[in-house]
Amino acid sequence: MRKQIAAANWKMNLSQNEAESLMDQLLASDFNLSLNQSAIFAVPAIYIPLAIQKLSGKQNVFVAAQNCHQKTNGAYTGEISAPMFASIGVQHIILGHSERRTYFNESDALLAEKTEAVLAVGSTPIFCCGEPLEIREAGTQNGFVDAQLKNALFQLSAEQIVKVVIAYEPIWAIGTGKTATSEQAQDIHAYIRSVFAAKYGQDIADQISILYGGSVKASNANEIFSQPDVDGGLVGGASLIATEFAAIIKALK
Ligand code: 13P
């Protein structure tokens, strides 16, 4: 069975005290994860050691990075590499979030390099894709997402691609309170799986977890996660509220 994942993306939010208090509240909510489920916390890089210390006692809970540099080391002031994250126990890294594509000009070609850098140290890329509003309105979202996947991931072998987690995040649903309907999510998740099936075969495609992101909250998580090709969520705003995120974890299949 595919891994079902509730991933929190805190983005650039919270002071250290606030981060600590959020983690304390989450732990007090006493969520439990079964063998095929994970909760992943992509916290600001500076809080990763604290988050590992606080959360790593919990079964199937992981601390993630929100980005990394494509090179292993060198004169890249201010950047952090995949091997550096691996060296402190980080096994998951979000790549290609739409905010990074938009504000930091991350291209598919760059994301291909970053994906390989993360896989090279044995970590899991959480690779984001998703279309802007005008593409959705034109009805061409499948082609748009198809190009993002092909350009950044199709150089990977079958052994590598099964280690990648996909997060489909329609840009028009991020931070807007406007969620894709569960039918829209299922349609494009099934399409994404078919893209991998065509390239790598159905067996491989069936092993790839595809998360939905975009205004996921406690009140809609059950319905979205119940779709057959939705394997959990990547959650922004609602992951900053302990009761919300605990309920989202509980909504995993
Ligand atoms: P929201 O849940 O705040 O819409 O953000 C989604 C997201 O960008 C997660 O990466």
Side-chain angles (χ1 to χ4, degrees):
M1 195 182 176
R2 283 192 291 277
K3 264 253 174 304
Q4 304 295 306
I5 299 167
N9 179 6
W10 288 5
K11 308 190 181 182
M12 194 175 74
N13 288 300
L14 307 179
S15 68
Q16 178 163 276
N17 282 344
E18 289 165 344
E20 194 160 11
S21 140
L22 174 56
M23 288 187 276
D24 284 336
Q25 289 170 46
L26 269 160
L27 290 169
S29 75
D30 205 27
F31 59 86
N32 278 308
L33 294 151
S34 59
L35 257 184
N36 74 314
Q37 299 174 335
S38 301
I40 298 177
F41 292 86
V43 305
I46 194 169
Y47 304 144
I48 287 176
L50 172 69
I52 289 176
Q53 182 201 323
K54 285 243 162 218
L55 300 172
S56 64
K58 281 285 267 185
Q59 198 73 23
N60 296 332
V61 171
F62 301 94
V63 177
Q66 299 176 8
N67 173 46
C68 70
H69 196 268
Q70 64 275 23
K71 300 275 199 254
T72 54
N73 64 283
Y76 301 100
T77 301
E79 292 296 303
I80 306 174
S81 71
M84 289 174 175
F85 283 121
S87 77
I88 62 164
V90 170
Q91 297 163 24
H92 300 80
I93 303 184
I94 297 176
L95 294 178
H97 191 283
S98 60
E99 288 147 17
R100 295 213 56 91
R101 291 178 189 260
T102 304
Y103 306 135
F104 302 94
N105 297 317
E106 292 199 354
S107 64
D108 292 338
L110 175 71
L111 294 170
E113 283 186 62
K114 290 192 177 195
T115 303
E116 296 212 28
V118 173
L119 289 169
V121 292
S123 294
T124 300
I126 301 175
F127 180 88
C128 301
C129 59
E131 79 287 353
L133 183 61
E134 62 271 20
I135 295 289
R136 171 62 64 164
E137 284 176 346
T140 53
Q141 63 274 5
N142 286 6
F144 186 92
V145 169
D146 181 62
Q148 288 181 318
L149 299 174
K150 284 187 172 149
N151 294 340
L153 300 180
F154 269 27
Q155 84 284 6
L156 300 176
S157 66
E159 293 71 37
Q160 288 176 306
I161 199 76
V162 287
K163 295 181 184 136
V164 177
V165 170
I166 303 296
Y168 167 70
E169 299 204 304
I171 296 170
W172 46 271
I174 295 177
T176 59
K178 199 171 161 187
T179 322
T181 64
S182 51
E183 193 183 9
Q184 285 173 322
Q186 169 56 25
D187 279 356
I188 195 152
H189 281 229
Y191 175 73
I192 290 169
R193 202 174 303 288
S194 78
V195 169
F196 289 119
K199 164 83 174 163
Y200 296 100
Q202 194 65 48
D203 270 10
I204 298 285
D206 284 341
Q207 294 174 53
I208 299 175
S209 297
I210 307 175
L211 316 184
Y212 169 81
S215 299
V216 173
K217 35 189 186 277
S219 59
N220 60 25
N222 265 309
E223 186 181 346
I224 296 173
F225 295 176
S226 70
Q227 300 302 309
D229 285 291
V230 178
D231 305 309
L234 179 57
V235 186
S239 75
L240 300 172
I241 304 164
T243 49
E244 280 283 311
F245 196 65
I248 290 167
I249 292 173
K250 285 177 190 150
L252 287 174
K253 287 196 275 268

